[in-house]
Amino acid sequence: MILEELFSLHKEQTIGGRYLTLESITPLLKKLNTNNQVEVIGKSVFGEPIYSYKIGTGETRIYLWSQMHGNESTTTKALFDFINVLNSGSDFANKLLEKFTFCAIPMLNPDGAKLYTRENANKVDLNRDSQQLTQPESKVLRAAFEEFKPHYCYNLHDQRTIFGAGDTGKPATVSFLAPAYNEGREINESRMKAIDLIVVMNDVLQDYIPGQVGRFDDSFNINCIGDTFQYLGVPTVLFEAGHYPNDYEREITRKYIFFALISGFKALSENDIVVSGINKYLKISQNKVVFYDFIYKNIKINYDGIEIITNFAAQYKEELIENKICFTAYVTEVGELENHYGHFEYDAKGAEYTDDFGGFPKTSQKADFYLNKNIKFVNGLIKR
């Protein structure tokens, strides 16, 4: 199976970028609802419908949900790409549909998606509400879980650009986690199934993004939905769609999430899972906060009449302006920045820094400045 060709053939062309709302996916759901596979299973705080989509007749039940955090849309795109495969009529699709029954919630938090926020409309992080179930969206997710009784759960998220894959100096383009089920972070049968599945997906991704797969922190928090479902005995896999160089729209990362979904389900359908892959799992680099969007090195600044050479970093803030996501770069740190990397790095080689704000970089100011008064940077990048 050639994954690149499969993705090109089935990529859902009507959705893209970072800002994905219920309005974006409603036409897709209508198109998919050929035999009452789409169902409204609840409402959000603002009264927006929360949809599920079911397909397949197999005994193994797979439960997937995306955009629990409204501003995390990459896995939603990949999920629709995967659904297109299931509806393709191919031998591979028919094999998956005979083996599995899929229940997907493509957008759990439509209010947060519209507002482009992590939280829901009540400013609650749904991924910290799995025990109290104070929010309507949390109740919907749990009720569907209890009704569907899945054999596997897929918890689909995005992560920020700050994460690297261990000390490799490479971004964590895709990260996984088999969540803990107790404080001791022990390995039981359920968690081992999730671990073995992650090992399969990582083995495939290493052929495409070597060194760019991370393993998320497994500290136990029963308030997180993945930890709760693992605690309840259902193998649960956390997906984190991260940064690929120059891919702030997450269209390349989308492809690798698709690759992971396809390869994992292929292995499950063929019973081609290496049992007890804990050693391979632990060799996946642990996620570390080691990246900035921009690092500027060897900058000369005049600080209270004293010239010094230093470094500084800037980070994009994603801002929703007129229904578009704008990336605005702000200075975040000044100093040595030891053991950190930039997705964009610039060595000024002692060039003098000036700006229109006060003469030296200060945190929270926009990354608009000059070097030697003749190289202009606007929004973090050199203006040509």
Side-chain angles (χ1 to χ4, degrees), residues 86-326:
L86 294 179
N87 283 281
S88 68
S90 68
D91 291 344
F92 176 64
N94 292 334
K95 183 178 181 180
L96 294 185
L97 296 175
E98 290 169 4
K99 175 72 175 181
F100 304 113
T101 299
F102 297 94
C103 177
I105 301 175
M107 188 173 288
L108 180 65
N109 182 6
D111 300 342
K114 184 71 173 178
L115 298 169
Y116 199 71
T117 61
R118 177 181 173 90
E119 298 86 3
N120 74 344
N122 286 333
K123 299 188 182 302
V124 172
D125 185 339
L126 300 177
N127 203 26
R128 300 296 183 271
D129 191 41
S130 69
Q131 293 297 302
Q132 297 297 319
L133 299 176
T134 64
Q135 302 304 301
E137 299 92 346
S138 306
K139 294 173 183 176
V140 166
L141 183 66
R142 184 60 177 268
F145 170 86
E146 292 178 352
E147 179 184 346
F148 187 59
K149 296 180 173 56
H151 295 101
Y152 285 89
C153 288
Y154 280 55
N155 187 10
L156 304 170
H157 288 263
D158 276 48
Q159 67 182 9
R160 295 173 61 198
T161 61
I162 60 177
F163 289 104
D167 297 312
T168 63
K170 296 181 178 182
T173 300
V174 176
S175 295
F176 296 110
L177 173 68
Y181 76 95
N182 64 3
E183 291 283 356
R185 299 185 287 185
E186 295 172 304
I187 308 295
N188 61 359
E189 181 182 358
S190 170
R191 192 179 184 200
M192 183 59 74
K193 285 183 177 180
I195 285 170
D196 292 340
L197 182 55
I198 288 169
V199 166
V200 167
M201 294 186 291
N202 175 61
D203 282 347
V204 171
L205 289 179
Q206 290 300 329
D207 290 336
Y208 297 92
I209 44 172
Q212 290 175 231
V213 179
R215 177 168 49 88
F216 213 73
D217 174 64
D218 69 346
S219 299
F220 179 70
N221 183 348
I222 194 62
N223 296 306
C224 295
I225 194 66
D227 301 53
T228 291
F229 287 168
Q230 198 87 277
Y231 169 80
L232 292 172
V234 180
T236 300
V237 177
L238 171 70
F239 284 65
E240 294 280 357
H243 186 68
Y244 185 88
N246 301 313
D247 180 38
Y248 283 92
E249 297 297 327
R250 298 272 167 98
E251 289 299 307
I252 298 175
T253 299
R254 165 189 189 167
K255 177 175 69 172
Y256 295 127
I257 295 294
F258 173 85
F259 285 7
L261 291 171
I262 291 291
S263 58
F265 290 128
K266 180 177 183 292
L268 278 177
S269 69
E270 296 172 351
N271 295 316
D272 189 21
I273 301 284
V274 176
V275 179
S276 298
I278 183 65
N279 291 331
K280 279 190 165 186
Y281 176 71
L282 293 176
K283 286 180 182 178
I284 300 173
S285 298
Q286 182 106 27
N287 269 11
K288 288 187 176 181
V289 179
V290 293
F291 269 95
Y292 294 100
D293 290 319
F294 304 91
I295 286 183
Y296 310 95
K297 298 179 178 180
N298 301 309
I299 306 287
K300 182 193 292 185
I301 64 171
N302 191 316
Y303 188 77
D304 285 345
I306 301 172
E307 288 187 344
I308 63 172
I309 302 292
T310 190
N311 311 311
F312 73 95
Q315 196 73 19
Y316 278 133
K317 182 179 179 181
E318 298 165 27
E319 300 173 311
L320 179 61
I321 300 173
E322 296 181 351
N323 291 325
K324 292 184 178 180
I325 304 305
C326 298

Side-chain angles (χ1 to χ4, degrees), residues 300-303 352-362 365:
K300 182 193 292 185
I301 64 171
N302 191 316
Y303 188 77
E352 185 176 5
Y353 174 99
T354 56
D355 62 32
D356 297 327
F357 308 107
F360 57 90
K362 298 185 236 11
Q365 78 180 28

Side-chain angles (χ1 to χ4, degrees), residues 323-353:
N323 291 325
K324 292 184 178 180
I325 304 305
C326 298
F327 294 86
T328 307
Y330 293 90
V331 176
T332 50
E333 189 153 347
V334 182
E336 290 299 316
L337 306 180
E338 192 174 359
N339 299 321
H340 280 78
Y341 308 94
H343 296 301
F344 170 89
E345 293 191 0
Y346 185 88
D347 187 348
K349 299 178 181 177
E352 185 176 5
Y353 174 99

